[in-house]
Every structure is written in C-alpha cells, then in structure tokens.
Amino acid sequence: MTIMADKPVEMPTKYDPTAVEAGRYQTWLDEDVFKPNGDPQAKPYSIVLPPPNVTGKLHLGHAWDTTLQDMLIRQKRMQGYDTLWLPGMDHAGIATQAKVEAKLREQGISRYDLGREEFIKKVWEWKDEYADTIHQQWAKMGLSLDYSRERFTLDEGFSDAVKKVFVALYKQGLIYRGEYIINWDPQARTALSDIEVIHKDDKGAFYHVKYPFADKDQTFNGKHYIEIATTRPETMMGDTAVAVNPGDERYKELVGTKVILPLADREIPIIADQYVDPEFGTGMVKITPAHDPNDFQVGNRHNLERINTMNEDASMNEKAGKYNGMDRFEARKAMVADLDAQGLLLKVDPIVHSVGHSERTGVQVEARLSTQWFVKMQPLAEKAMANQKGDNAVDFVPKRFEHTFMQWMDNAHDWVISRQLWWGHQIPAWYHKQTGEIYVGETAPKDPENWDRDPDVLDTWFSSALWPFGTMGWPDENSADYQRYFPTSTLVTGYDIIFFWVSRMIFQSLEFTGQRPFKHVLLHGLIRDEEGRKMSKSLGNGIDPMDVIQKYGADALRWFLSTGSTAGQDVRFSYKKMDAAWNFINKIWNASRFVIMNLGPNTKPVVPAKDQWDLTDKWILSRLNATVKHVTEMFDKFDFGEAGRALYNFIWNDFCDWYIEMSKSVLTGDDEAAKAVKQDLLAYVLDQTLRLLQPIMPFVTEAIWQAMPHDGKSLVTAAYPVDHPDFDDATAENDMTSLIDLIKAVRNIRAEANAPMSTPIDLQIKTSDAKLQAVFDNNRDYIDRFVHPKALEIGADLVAPKLAMTAVITSAEISVPLAELVDLKEEAARLDKEVAKYTAEVQRATKKLGNERFVANAPEDVVNAEREKQADNEKKLAATQERLAEINAQL
C-alpha cells in the first residue's frame, strides 16, 4: 500500500541537517528497525563492531570505521538479509587504567592509596561515563546497531569465555608461566607485548668505559683494560659477562679471562657467543641478562646469573649498591660522574637512537626480567597460516594485507599475556600458600582459604581476540546467535591493528571454533589532515567528528568518509571536501523538493506501461538500472569510492541536470495523461535513488522519503533496488546522448559568442545518419526548450553559412550563423579590443622571456608557466585576428 502525504509538503528551500536529523534516530529505535528480521528463510549477514576503548570520545577514525560497517549492514538489511550488527565496548586494560590513574594523580592519590577494590569502583565509574558519551556519538552518526545485544569485554558471559580459553590453552601446554625478559612500562608498572611498544628517536650517548683485567699483570694491546661502549650505564651493576664473537681473531686469547666490573668491584668472565657482531663498535659487548632480551638469551646459553637491579617503577634497587633508590636516569648521571672521577670513563659520544616507549603512557620502556604468563605462538600461528591455503581462508581486502598477516604469523614470538594491572580479566590461576602448587581453573579452588590468586590481569587483546564468537554466546555452542550468525560476515577495521587484533581473532577462532571468525576483513587506512599528517594531540590537528556533524550534518560526513578513498588507503580530511559533500546533499534536497511539489494527488512511485515512455523516460530508467547494477557490484567489492562516483554522476548529471529539467515542459503542459506518467516516473526514480543512497546518508533520505508517496514504515527496511533487465535500453542511451551533446554544443557556442538564451538564432544540424535525424526530429520540443532556435533545419544536404560558428558531435555537424548571434559592428569593436589585449600579453611575455636574468634565475616551473602562457596567448591572438578579418569582410 502506497502511503500518501497527509498534509502539504513543507520542505525548506535549503537543506538544514540539524532539523532533518532531529529525533530521527530515536524514531528508528522506537520502531525497532535495527534488529534482525527473524526470517529463518533469509540469509544471515553479521558484523561485530570493533569495540571502542572506554577511554574517551570517538575520533574521526572511529567515524570512518563505523560508517563503512553501517553502510554494509543497511544495504544487506534492505536486500532482505537477516542482519545483525552487534555493538560493544572494550575495557582496554592498560589504556583505561592509565587514564584513571592520571585523574587520581591530579587529586594527589594513587591506586595503592585506594586499594584494588576501591580503585576498580573508580574505573567502573569512568567506564559508565564514557560509555554514555560513546552511545550518544553512535546515535549522532546514525549507526543501525542492535543495542539489545550490546556487549562489554568484562561482561559476566564474556568473562566465562575468556576463562575457558585460558584454561584450555593451559591444559594443552600452549599457555605457560616463566621468567623471561619482557617489555616493562615503569609508570603503569606492567608488562607490554612487543606491539605495544612504539620506537622513537631519542638523544643519547655511547659511554666508553674501562673494564680492568682481574689479573693486574694482564694486558691487551699494551693496556691493562678492555674498552666497552654502552648506551645504558645504569644497567652496569647487572653485568655478568663481557662477550666477543667466537670467530673474532682479535680477542681469541681473551676468552676465559676475567675483568673487574667498574663501580661494583666484581669479577666477570669474557665469553664467546655468536650473538656478538664483530663489525659493530669494538666487537666487545657487556652482557646484562636481567636487562636486555638478547643478553638474556646469551645468559641462558652460558648459565650466567641474572641480576635485576631495578624496581617496578624503574628506580634502582639494593643490587645497584650505592645507587639504591635513585631514578634510573639519575643513576645514569651519578654512575657516569663516578666513572669519570675514578678515571674509568674514556669518552662520551652523543648519538640519536631508536628507543622503545609505552604506547599508552609514553614513558621509556625497560627490558625487565620478570615471571609472566605466555602463549606459545608457533602451533597457533601454523594453524592460522595453513587455514589461509584452504576454503575456510579469511578474504583480506585489499589482498596485499594477507601478506602482512602471513609474514607476522610466520615470525610471531611467544605472546606475554599477563599484565600487572588491576583493571581487566584476572588470571584464573591460584598458588597454594604452603606447597606453591599452581592451580588453573574456570572456578576457584574448593578450599580458597589455602590459595592466593594471581593478582595479574590478562592483556586486553587476549579477551578482544574472542570478540566475534564470545559475543555470540560461546562457549555455549547451542546459543541461537552463535548458531545463526557465526562465523560473522565482514570485519571492518584499520590496517594498523592487523597484528594486535585481526591475527589474534583468527588464530583463537580457529583454535576454539574450528572456523574463521569472519569471511571478509575490510582494512581501511588512517585519517590524516589536509597536509597528509597523522592526526595527533601533539600536532593539535585532531578533529572531533561531532563538531563536523554539528556544522555539516552526519550524512555529509558519512558521504565524505565513505566515498573519499579506496580500500586500504589513507584519507585526508578536508573542509573543502565537506563543503562539497554538503552541496551535493543540498542538490539532492532541492531536486527532491521540486519533484515532490510537482506530484499529483494520485501519484505513486511506480513505472507506467512501457508504451507511455518517451525518450527521456527510457533513458533515465536505463541509466538508473545501470547505476543500480554498478553500485551493487561495487558494494560487493567494498569499492565504496567507485559506488559514490556512480551515484554522484547519476544524481547530479542524469537525474537533476537533465531528466528533471526535461520533465518541466511536460509538468507545465496541458496533456494531463502525459503529466501523470511523468509524475509517477519522477516519483519512482526519486524513490529508487533514495533507496540507493540510504546506506550512505540515512537521515536525509528518510526525511525525503517520508515526505513523498511511499510503501512501508521506514526506508531503513524498504527493499533495495534490483536489476530490471527490461529497463536496459542502449538505443535510448545513445539517442539521448546525442540530444544532450547537441544541447551542450549549442550552449557552448552561445557562451563563446557571449549570446544569452534570449538572443534568437538559426540552427542547422547536418547529418547523413537517418536514425539520428529521426531522433532530432522527434525531439524538436526539447531542442526548442533548451537551445531556443528561431529556425531549425535538420538534414543531410545542408550547406553551412560562410560566417558561422560550428561544432561537431558524433555523426552530426552543428552550425549557427554568426550574424544571428551578434551585431557585426559591435562584435568587430569588441574583437579589436581583444586583439589589443592579446597583443599586449604576447609582447609582455616576449620581453620577460627575452630577459636572460629572468630565464637563468627564476625557478624552472615559473619559466615554463610563462612560456605556456605566451603560447596560449599567441593562439588566442591568431584566432581573434582571423575572426575579426572574417567579420570585417562582411561589413
């Protein structure tokens, strides 16, 4: 049943996004249009929203990410799929804890002052506040999420999934506990995985230090010491050896001897190990197993003692001797000063080197010897790589990112999953108070009073790796959502978290469900500023998407984000492009307003009988069908930029500039039957166009659709346009193209001659193509309306006037007598001025280019531009002189 407007249409002449969007989202929620349709016959299509961290407001990257997902879900919903877009948020362990601790520091307190339980309450308060903000932002963006299924990574059900996975991997021997060198954040006081460390260039130095031989009579190259260079003298108190390469002939005689560790007065051996690069520096390195990952491995091979000289906060401990209690960098200065005072400092060479920093707190990371929990990666990585060779492979878009994934999997190190935090999934491991026995289980031991629970929590990525199936009810494999919507259809995320998240979801899903977590993974780039720089707080170039929406509307932002780049590429935010997006929507608004205001009381968005179609009707339906097919194909390929271009060209050029304009003569005519046909077709094409646009710009399309005759409650659940082969009409498209080319050519002639539409002209169209002549003859009404000829001749044997302006289109020549366009005396006077102007320009350029100093000293592009300008003006001068001569011959 077609719903007609029950009151006169009130559409302002200018698109106002604030008015259009007001209350619209709540209406959708009230109508429950975002939930799965529940049709068991429908094919399921599911997406899980990459859960944003509850650490703050969403940024433009989130806006881009969620827009692409919403477009896919909205289109599939309209295509009749049983769609689920499941929302949720991530507790983001270290990131959230760091934010809350920073807030507490402003109040002069730490988490230790509060204790674990009270601190966790503070974090939940933070989470609730920022979750509310994120919900408001999702609403502003128009995201069609099913909130009834919303999840949080610390939900009780999700926690059950995390515990089950941990226990299962532990029982398989794929999770183990061991003492290793790990990345340590001394501010957050927690372990970090390799990919949570950002390397930045810092100023530092090579400190060249004397390590005296233990045997006072021993010499090397005539000296009683060897020279060791280090960038981190603060770790010296943990040295347990000096190493050389076993193949380095220079130091063969030194292997097995001992040196005195400066400042500690302790003997350490000189050993041989392949790790040492004989080409780097002196070819001799100090070995500090507790403070360097490579030294740790060397220490394991040579059974060296591990001496940890730092506390959790990177201050020195009692093993650092007199430097106990000092901050690491204070200790460095003190040690260097002492080395110098004792005559053991040879020299200091300033350098700039790459140093690891914590992604979350920004402080310099320490390599720290620590007992941690690890995931053994090799078996899981091998399974993930093998899966990519079969039918169950994840389809990476763009394809090149599959190589990135495979390369990382092939080189994956064991993953440190324990974090010394309080906010997160506490590790399900207990230690017996008397025996030290370890118990790992989904539930606590039956005699909890005899056990201490491991205080650490799991890395955030450990839990978010379970997101696609943990949110669907797993580990209950009989869960309705798990049975229906898993594996999910498409994951949309940034290429920068392939390692962090995408890879981990793939290997965990394969391990625990035997299936890939998603069929496709669409990877987009980063949002950059207009200069191509990454948006960051330090540069002050970040842009709040809510500010953009306030100015331009959500639909304009969505249009820009969805059509502004190709998959995998970065996009540059630009206010100029936002202006263009708003202008496009304003064009749609005004064209729709015109159509709606010109519909009849009985108009319906239907296609009249084919024998009632004129050329423009056949053409617009053929163009519409081509657009439907192309946009659908491009959506299926995730090529939203190309889909956007097709929509833009169809709407702006075909529908607005030509079909609507050509319809006006019928709408204002006296033929009521023809008018009714045109009104139905205008309504139909507009209806179908709004459906095509709805996934990208849902607010404005819904507002327009509700203001015109329509079928259904909401455009959100209306049927998406489909291919109508009977609309395809190559002949109509060719004929209409010829008609449009003719109109454009005559308009160009008028523009070139500076002759307004009110100036009468004679028009000759010479063509030997009988079919084309028939097209022009049958559409004289349109030619009259759009080019205003006072006399029109169409034929094969026409002779063009001697003094005429001409244009050539496919299979036809167009001639307009010049005398019809202008007063010849006035035109001659105007051309005299033009000749003088171009002559002056040519002379100026000739003089400038004749100046050797200018040619020699000006930038090459400036000189070339001047030469191009000279050549262009010479051509214009010659053409103007030729036309002036022709006119003067007629006077």
Side-chain angles (χ1 to χ4, degrees), residues 787-836:
V787 301
H788 294 182
K790 75 167 192 252
L792 171 61
E793 289 184 279
I794 307 170
D797 302 319
L798 300 177
V799 178
K802 186 175 181 183
L803 196 62
M805 293 185 73
T806 61
V808 178
I809 62 173
T810 305
S811 302
E813 292 176 26
I814 298 160
S815 300
V816 177
L818 200 59
E820 290 291 328
L821 291 171
V822 292
D823 180 297
L824 292 184
K825 286 184 179 178
E826 285 182 8
E827 182 65 1
R830 187 183 71 80
L831 290 176
D832 268 330
K833 291 177 183 176
E834 291 284 294
V835 167

Side-chain angles (χ1 to χ4, degrees), residues 659-882:
Y659 187 68
I660 288 178
E661 288 302 313
M662 288 182 155
S663 298
K664 287 178 179 177
S665 57
V666 178
L667 294 173
T668 56
D670 299 325
D671 187 335
E672 293 301 321
K675 188 187 294 186
V677 168
K678 194 65 73 176
Q679 287 168 331
D680 282 353
L681 269 171
L682 278 165
Y684 176 79
V685 176
L686 177 57
D687 171 271
Q688 294 293 295
T689 302
L690 293 172
R691 292 169 192 245
L692 283 175
L693 278 170
Q694 194 271 339
I696 307 176
M697 41 178 83
F699 288 104
V700 70
T701 52
E702 181 79 82
I704 296 169
W705 195 73
Q706 293 290 350
M708 65 180 285
H710 60 271
D711 288 321
K713 176 171 64 174
S714 170
L715 189 56
V716 173
T717 50
Y720 196 76
V722 294
D723 178 17
H724 289 284
D726 54 319
F727 287 178
D728 291 334
D729 193 331
T731 302
E733 292 211 38
N734 287 333
D735 291 352
M736 190 67 178
T737 298
S738 297
L739 187 58
I740 289 171
D741 286 348
L742 166 67
I743 293 166
K744 284 181 177 177
V746 178
R747 283 177 172 175
N748 287 340
I749 287 172
R750 281 187 177 277
E752 201 175 332
N754 202 24
M757 290 293 280
S758 57
T759 305
I761 60 167
D762 288 342
L763 177 62
Q764 285 189 358
I765 305 170
K766 182 179 180 181
T767 177
S768 55
D769 184 330
K771 288 182 180 177
L772 185 59
Q773 182 171 341
V775 170
F776 292 145
D777 276 328
N778 293 337
N779 289 280
R780 281 177 176 255
D781 285 352
Y782 289 120
I783 297 172
D784 287 344
R785 175 175 173 80
F786 284 93
V787 301
H788 294 182
K790 75 167 192 252
L792 171 61
E793 289 184 279
I794 307 170
D797 302 319
L798 300 177
V799 178
K802 186 175 181 183
L803 196 62
M805 293 185 73
T806 61
V808 178
I809 62 173
T810 305
S811 302
E813 292 176 26
I814 298 160
S815 300
V816 177
L818 200 59
E820 290 291 328
L821 291 171
V822 292
D823 180 297
L824 292 184
K825 286 184 179 178
E826 285 182 8
E827 182 65 1
R830 187 183 71 80
L831 290 176
D832 268 330
K833 291 177 183 176
E834 291 284 294
V835 167
K837 181 179 80 173
Y838 290 131
T839 300
E841 284 295 317
V842 169
Q843 289 173 347
R844 184 198 60 77
T846 303
K847 184 177 179 182
K848 195 169 186 178
L849 290 167
N851 184 336
E852 292 181 8
R853 287 180 63 191
F854 168 73
V855 175
N857 297 325
E860 187 179 354
D861 58 337
V862 173
V863 176
N864 289 338
E866 195 61 44
R867 285 181 176 140
E868 287 173 13
K869 199 185 294 181
Q870 181 190 33
D872 182 49
N873 284 323
E874 284 173 346
K875 286 179 186 174
K876 287 176 178 176
L877 175 61
T880 308
Q881 286 173 327
E882 185 179 346

Side-chain angles (χ1 to χ4, degrees), residues 254-269:
L254 294 181
V255 175
T257 64
K258 294 184 177 180
V259 291
I260 302 293
L261 177 61
L263 305 179
D265 200 25
R266 171 163 50 85
E267 291 187 7
I268 59 174

Side-chain angles (χ1 to χ4, degrees), residues 49-353:
L49 179 83
N53 296 346
V54 286
T55 49
K57 297 176 180 177
L58 302 182
H59 51 66
L60 269 178
H62 289 115
W64 188 10
D65 196 72
T66 53
T67 294
L68 298 182
Q69 293 169 73
D70 196 29
M71 286 163 54
L72 289 168
I73 280 289
R74 283 179 178 274
Q75 188 209 38
K76 295 297 181 187
R77 185 186 290 120
M78 295 176 77
Q79 288 176 328
Y81 285 79
D82 178 25
T83 54
L84 168 61
W85 188 17
L86 189 148
M89 300 180 203
D90 198 311
H91 67 280
I94 187 170
T96 306
Q97 181 158 322
K99 292 272 189 183
V100 176
E101 287 199 78
K103 189 177 177 182
L104 290 175
R105 273 197 300 275
E106 291 172 7
Q107 300 165 24
I109 53 176
S110 76
R111 61 168 154 150
Y112 301 101
D113 296 326
L114 292 174
R116 186 165 190 150
E117 197 173 321
E118 286 302 311
F119 176 74
I120 293 297
K121 284 182 186 175
K122 292 285 184 190
V123 189
W124 275 107
E125 288 171 12
W126 172 284
K127 179 263 175 187
D128 291 341
E129 178 187 343
Y130 281 92
D132 285 347
T133 301
I134 289 168
H135 281 134
Q136 291 166 23
Q137 292 178 308
W138 285 346
K140 279 282 188 187
M141 289 294 300
L143 307 184
S144 59
L145 295 156
D146 179 4
Y147 291 101
S148 69
R149 286 172 166 85
E150 184 175 351
R151 302 301 300 272
F152 182 54
T153 50
L154 286 179
D155 281 351
E156 191 176 328
F158 201 81
S159 294
D160 291 342
V162 172
K163 283 184 277 195
K164 187 175 183 70
V165 166
F166 185 95
V167 173
L169 291 175
Y170 178 77
K171 287 179 177 175
Q172 291 176 60
L174 292 175
I175 281 183
Y176 63 92
R177 191 168 183 254
E179 191 176 49
Y180 280 85
I181 283 281
I182 46 88
N183 302 300
W184 183 262
D185 181 329
Q187 180 172 307
R189 299 191 196 180
T190 184
L192 302 173
S193 66
D194 290 345
I195 51 179
E196 289 173 307
V197 177
I198 298 170
H199 286 84
K200 301 177 186 175
D201 285 343
D202 280 357
K203 289 180 180 177
F206 265 125
Y207 300 90
H208 296 257
V209 181
K210 294 179 183 178
Y211 279 51
F213 289 111
D215 180 350
K216 291 185 170 49
D217 295 329
Q218 186 178 348
T219 61
F220 178 72
N221 289 341
K223 296 170 183 173
H224 289 279
Y225 61 85
I226 57 172
E227 181 181 334
I228 297 293
T230 178
T231 59
R232 305 186 66 221
E234 67 273 19
T235 66
M236 282 175 57
M237 302 298 272
D239 289 2
T240 52
V242 168
V244 298
N245 189 287
D248 195 333
E249 294 294 330
R250 294 175 295 174
Y251 305 129
K252 244 178 181 174
E253 64 187 80
L254 294 181
V255 175
T257 64
K258 294 184 177 180
V259 291
I260 302 293
L261 177 61
L263 305 179
D265 200 25
R266 171 163 50 85
E267 291 187 7
I268 59 174
I270 298 177
I271 61 173
D273 194 276
Q274 289 290 349
Y275 157 67
V276 183
D277 179 1
E279 302 298 320
F280 183 75
T282 62
M284 305 181 82
V285 295
K286 73 187 196 73
I287 301 298
T288 321
H291 290 281
D292 183 276
N294 295 310
D295 293 5
F296 177 78
Q297 299 295 340
V298 174
N300 285 353
R301 289 193 287 272
H302 296 270
N303 295 313
L304 298 175
E305 185 184 0
R306 301 166 184 164
I307 303 175
N308 187 348
T309 64
M310 284 189 198
N311 297 310
E312 288 185 355
D313 63 356
S315 62
M316 309 310 289
N317 63 24
E318 67 281 355
K319 291 182 180 175
K322 66 179 277 191
Y323 308 102
N324 183 12
M326 286 188 182
D327 170 77
R328 55 183 165 166
F329 300 121
E330 288 174 19
R332 178 185 295 181
K333 290 176 186 174
M335 287 182 182
V336 170
D338 287 348
L339 288 167
D340 195 22
Q342 294 174 28
L344 295 173
L345 186 66
L346 289 164
K347 61 177 177 175
V348 179
D349 293 330
I351 59 167
V352 174
H353 59 152

